[in-house]
Amino acid sequence: MCRLRTIPLPYFYGLLLLLLLLLFAVSLGVGAVAIGFGELPGLVQHRLSGAGSVNALHEALFWEIRLPRSLLCLLVGASLSVSGALMQSLFRNPIVEPGLVGTSAGSALGAALLIVLGQNAFFSQFALLGSLLAPACAFVGGMVATLLVYYFSASLNRVNVSVMILAGVAVNALANGGTGFLAYIARDPQARSITFWSLGTLSVASWKMVGIVCISTVSGLLLALRLARPLNALQLGDAEARYLGVRTERLKFSVMLVNALLVAVATSMVGIIGFVGLIVPHVLRLLRGSDNRYLVAGSSLLGASILLATDMLCRVLIAPAEMPIGIVTAFIGAPLFLYLLGRARRGGQKGGFYA
Amino acid sequence: MKTKYWGWLLLPLLTACGRFQGKHEKVEGARIVCVSKQLTEFLFALHQGDHIVGVDLSSTYPEEAKKKTTVGYHRHLSAEGIAALDPTLVVHQGDVAPAEVMTQLAQLHIPVKVYPAGSTLDSAKIVLSLLGKELGQEPVADSLNRVLDADLAAAATQVARYGTKPRVLVIHFGQQRNQYFVIGTRGAAKTMIELAGGEQAADTSGFRNLSPEVIVKLQPDVILATDFGWDRLGSKEKFLDLPGLALTPAAKNGRIYRVEEHDLLYFGPRTGKNIQALAEIIHR
C-alpha cells in the first residue's frame, strides 16, 4: 500500500495495466467449460491461419462467448468507474454513484416495460432491431430520466448541483415506482426477469454488443479526460472555477452527457451493476489523492480489472449455473471498501472526503 | 487479518446450496439438458431420465430430477454453463431468458429443440407425442396419453357422483405481510379444479396478491395451500390464525388442505390421477 502511494505515476499506471492484462488473460480461460491456458495460443492460431487441430466446441466457445464476454466486461467496468469518478467530482460529494441522476433506474424502467408489455403491438414496430430491442428500450429509458433531471436542475442558465441531486432522487423514485408497478402486474417469470435484469449479467455478450459499448466507452473516456482538468478547478467551488476561466455551466452539462452516454449504453446491455462506479474512484482517491486526470485514467483501468475479476467469480461460483454479477460486486466490493475506509480513517493523513 | 476468514466462511455457505454442485456423470448415448419443468417430467415418463445431464431450477418432479445438475433458473441461463455439460440436445418451451443464450448455443453447434407450451390438456398430450417421436419412444408416449384419457374419464364419473360444487381457493405462498398470493383463473389450476368438480373462487387472472378482505369476500368452501406456504406455517391450526381466513367457510369447516405445487402448475401424464385425488380432497 505505501509503495503504491509513492511510486511515480507512469509506473502506477503500468502496474494497473499489467493487472488488467493479467486478469483479462486469466478470464479467457475461466468459466463453466474449462479451457486450458495452454490451449489458448492454439485456438487463436487455428482461427487465424487454419493450422493445427483444436477441440471444435472449445474453439466456438472461445470466439463466440468467452472473448466477447471478457471484452464487454472490460468495457463496462471502465465505463461505470469513469462515470463514477466524473459524477463524484461534479457533485463534490463522495456518496454519488452514476445511478444518482436517474440513468440506471430509467434504464431499468425501459427494460421492465419491454419485459412486461413486450407482447404489445407497439413494440413490434421495432422488430428490426432484433436482439438489440431490449438494450434500445433501456437506453431510451436511461436517457429520458437523465434529461429529466437535467431539465429540472438547469433553470435561468444556471445548473444547480444540489437541485440536481434532489431531482435525481425524485426521478429515481418515479422510475423505481414504475418498475415496481410493472413487476406487480407482471406474471411470475416476468417479475423474475426484472429482478435478474436489475442484478446484471454479462452472459449475454455478443460481438455486436462489444462493438457498440466499445464506441461509447472509448469516446466517453476521451471526453472524460478532456473534462478532467476543468473539473479540478470546479473542486474549488462554482464561483472560483469561473474566475479561473472555466465555463462551469457548459462543463456541468458536458459531464452529465458523458455520464449518460457511458452509463446508459453499458447498463442497457448488461443490466444494472451497482457499486463499481462508487468504490473504484474512492479506492484510487485513497491511494493517491484526487486529481481528476489521474482519477479518470486510473478508474478506467482499475474498474475494468475489478469487473473482470468479479465476473470470473460469477462464472465459476455455482457452475454450471451462474451468479448475477450485481450480487458478487456488492459482496466483494462492500467489505473491500469498508476495509480501505477503516485504514484511511486510522491513518488520519487524508483530508477531503475522509477527514 | 480477521477479514480473510470471512471469505472462507462464505464459501461453505455457497456450496451448502446442494443443488448447485456440479455432478458430472458418465452417460452413454444422448446427453439431454432440459430447461422446462414440464419437459423434465415428460422425459422421465418416457424413460429418458438416465440421459438427462442437466435441468433447470424449477424442475422438481420426479424426485430424481432434483438429483440432476442444475443449470440455474430458466430465466437466468448461461450458454457456457449449458455447454459445460456437453449436451447432445437442449430442450425448452420458449420461456427462457436471456434470449441470447439460445443464439449462443446455436453458434456452438449444440442442437436446441423448442417445444410448444403444453398449457392445455390437449396441447400437453401433443407435446408428449412430439417428444416421444423425437426420442424414438412413440409407443410409450401413446400409452401414457391413453392412460391419461382413461384416468380423466374415471375422474369424470367420480365427480358425477358428488353432486356439490365447492368454491376452491388455491393459496400459493401462504402469507406475506397479510397479502395472499393466489392462483387465479389463468393457467392449469383452473382447469384442474373444474375437472375435479370444483369452482375457482378467485376471479383474478394469473397469480395475484390479494388482501385478507378479498379472501373473506371470495368465501371459498375449500382452501388448498401449496407445499411451500403450508410447510412454512406448519399446520392447519396456524393457517386458521391468519387474518381473514378464519372468516371463510373453508376455515369454519376445517377444510384447508396441503397440495403439491408442481401438481397444479402444468399438465402431464399424472394429471388424471391428480384430478382424482383433488376431487376426493375438495369433496371430503
Side-chain angles (χ1 to χ4, degrees):
Chain A
M1 288 291 276
C2 296
R3 277 281 177 75
L4 284 177
R5 289 206 175 96
T6 48
I7 56 169
L9 209 49
Y11 288 114
F12 184 71
Y13 287 144
L15 273 180
L16 285 181
L17 190 64
L18 206 65
L19 175 72
L20 176 60
L21 290 176
L22 188 75
L23 282 168
F24 183 72
V26 173
S27 79
L28 290 177
V30 173
V33 179
I35 299 182
F37 292 108
E39 255 181 278
L40 296 181
L43 290 174
V44 177
Q45 199 187 7
H46 183 259
R47 180 67 169 235
L48 296 180
S49 61
S53 65
V54 289
N55 183 327
L57 175 73
H58 284 192
E59 190 187 13
L61 194 102
F62 177 75
W63 287 103
E64 298 303 332
I65 293 182
R66 205 59 80 65
L67 192 57
R69 180 174 184 158
S70 289
L71 285 170
L72 187 68
C73 196
L74 187 151
L75 294 168
V76 168
S79 284
L80 294 176
S81 312
V82 168
S83 73
L86 288 181
M87 293 310 262
Q88 286 172 7
S89 299
L90 175 66
F91 288 106
R92 274 170 272 153
N93 189 330
I95 59 159
V96 168
E97 63 158 351
L100 185 85
V101 290
T103 320
S104 15
S107 302
L109 181 59
L113 269 172
L114 182 71
I115 291 170
V116 179
L117 306 174
Q119 312 296 326
N120 200 303
F122 171 74
F123 287 104
S124 57
Q125 298 168 31
F126 308 105
L128 64 133
L129 282 169
S131 62
L132 288 178
L133 180 58
C137 283
F139 179 77
V140 171
M143 276 318 230
V144 168
T146 315
L147 292 176
L148 209 59
V149 170
Y150 185 74
Y151 170 78
F152 281 107
S153 53
S155 55
L156 303 171
N157 295 324
R158 292 282 314 270
V159 180
N160 187 328
V161 163
S162 21
V163 174
M164 205 187 254
I165 294 187
L166 286 175
V169 170
V171 168
N172 264 326
L174 199 64
N176 288 338
T179 310
F181 173 72
L182 285 167
Y184 177 73
I185 63 167
R187 290 184 294 124
D188 201 28
Q190 294 172 329
R192 289 290 287 261
S193 287
I194 296 176
T195 311
F196 284 131
W197 200 88
S198 64
L199 289 170
T201 181
L202 282 145
S203 71
V204 295
S206 67
W207 284 110
K208 219 190 294 177
M209 287 188 184
V210 172
I212 294 171
V213 181
C214 188
I215 295 170
S216 77
T217 307
V218 171
S219 49
L221 181 61
L222 292 177
L223 288 170
L225 285 169
R226 282 178 57 118
L227 294 174
R229 195 187 274 272
L231 267 178
N232 278 346
L234 193 69
Q235 301 311 298
L236 298 169
D238 253 33
E240 287 79 356
R242 223 169 308 137
Y243 299 149
L244 286 169
V246 175
R247 287 148 82 182
T248 48
E249 308 314 316
R250 222 182 87 150
L251 173 67
K252 288 173 194 165
F253 187 53
S254 316
V255 171
M256 283 277 294
L257 276 187
V258 171
N259 171 67
L261 176 75
L262 288 169
V263 178
V265 174
T267 306
S268 69
M269 297 292 170
V270 300
I272 297 177
I273 300 176
F275 224 64
V276 179
L278 178 69
I279 63 157
V280 170
H282 275 290
V283 171
L284 289 164
R285 214 177 271 122
L286 286 166
L287 285 175
R288 312 193 52 124
S290 7
D291 182 342
N292 281 298
R293 289 167 299 176
Y294 147 76
L295 281 183
V296 167
S299 290
S300 65
L301 293 171
L302 188 63
S305 306
I306 285 187
L307 208 62
L308 271 172
T310 35
D311 186 49
M312 271 190 263
L313 279 175
C314 296
R315 297 180 203 176
V316 296
L317 268 182
I318 52 172
E322 194 163 305
M323 202 77 148
I325 193 164
I327 296 173
V328 183
T329 45
F331 266 144
I332 309 248
L336 176 78
F337 185 53
L338 287 174
Y339 167 74
L340 285 172
L341 210 56
R343 265 183 74 114
R345 277 186 69 90
R346 268 199 301 280
Q349 78 277 47
K350 290 281 165 198
F353 294 158
Y354 313 108
Chain B
M1 271 289 88
K2 257 187 192 162
T3 37
K4 238 182 204 171
Y5 297 114
W6 284 105
W8 294 113
L9 270 176
L10 269 175
L11 211 65
L13 262 178
L14 280 163
T15 46
C17 315
R19 287 208 81 189
F20 284 114
Q21 277 160 11
K23 287 150 279 204
H24 280 267
E25 46 218 309
K26 290 266 173 287
V27 174
E28 299 286 320
R31 297 171 62 87
I32 306 173
V33 170
C34 179
V35 284
S36 145
K37 50 185 178 291
Q38 191 178 31
L39 290 182
T40 305
E41 183 178 339
F42 286 5
L43 285 171
F44 273 99
L46 294 168
H47 313 305
Q48 301 299 306
D50 294 340
H51 290 295
I52 297 179
V53 290
V55 294
D56 74 310
L57 208 53
S58 69
S59 293
T60 52
Y61 187 92
E63 205 54 38
E64 292 95 313
K66 290 190 197 166
K67 299 193 187 91
K68 299 286 180 186
T69 308
T70 52
V71 295
Y73 187 68
H74 62 288
R75 314 287 301 186
H76 190 253
L77 295 170
S78 121
E80 210 182 306
I82 295 174
L85 299 173
D86 197 16
T88 56
L89 178 65
V90 177
V91 289
H92 69 95
Q93 288 179 301
D95 61 338
V96 287
E100 286 87 349
V101 168
M102 294 301 150
T103 331
Q104 290 173 339
L105 284 177
Q107 285 169 338
L108 298 181
H109 308 296
I110 292 171
V112 179
K113 275 254 158 170
V114 193
Y115 287 91
S119 50
T120 62
L121 266 171
D122 290 329
S123 62
K125 282 195 277 190
I126 293 169
V127 171
L128 184 62
S129 307
L130 285 173
L131 199 61
K133 204 173 282 175
E134 166 79 23
L135 300 164
Q137 301 287 332
E138 257 178 303
V140 187
D142 289 342
S143 78
L144 283 171
N145 279 341
R146 274 197 300 278
V147 171
L148 174 59
D149 286 335
D151 284 341
L152 286 171
T157 48
Q158 181 189 345
V159 167
R161 284 204 307 274
Y162 290 124
T164 56
K165 203 168 185 193
R167 289 167 61 79
V168 181
L169 186 72
V170 188
I171 296 184
H172 189 42
F173 274 145
Q175 179 221 28
Q176 171 207 27
R177 281 178 302 157
N178 292 348
Q179 293 275 314
Y180 298 92
F181 203 53
V182 158
I183 297 184
T185 50
R186 207 155 47 178
K190 178 185 162 66
T191 316
M192 290 187 189
I193 288 170
E194 276 165 9
L195 288 174
E199 186 188 345
Q200 179 88 320
D203 47 8
T204 53
S205 69
F207 292 75
R208 272 288 172 274
N209 273 319
L210 295 183
S211 76
E213 288 180 24
V214 180
I215 302 283
V216 177
K217 187 177 149 246
L218 290 174
Q219 291 287 305
D221 300 315
V222 179
I223 290 176
L224 301 178
T226 55
D227 45 340
F228 181 77
W230 179 277
D231 293 345
R232 206 174 48 167
L233 285 167
S235 71
K236 189 186 281 184
E237 284 65 38
K238 290 260 174 59
F239 245 92
L240 291 177
D241 286 342
L242 299 180
L245 278 195
L247 300 174
T248 61
K252 284 172 192 150
N253 303 321
R255 292 168 77 182
I256 300 178
Y257 307 104
R258 178 187 191 277
V259 285
E260 291 290 336
E261 181 193 332
H262 52 221
D263 289 348
L264 286 176
L265 285 184
Y266 56 89
F267 298 106
R270 300 175 295 125
T271 301
K273 299 232 166 32
N274 287 342
I275 288 176
Q276 291 173 11
L278 198 61
E280 191 273 318
I281 287 176
I282 65 179
H283 292 99
R284 201 180 276 169

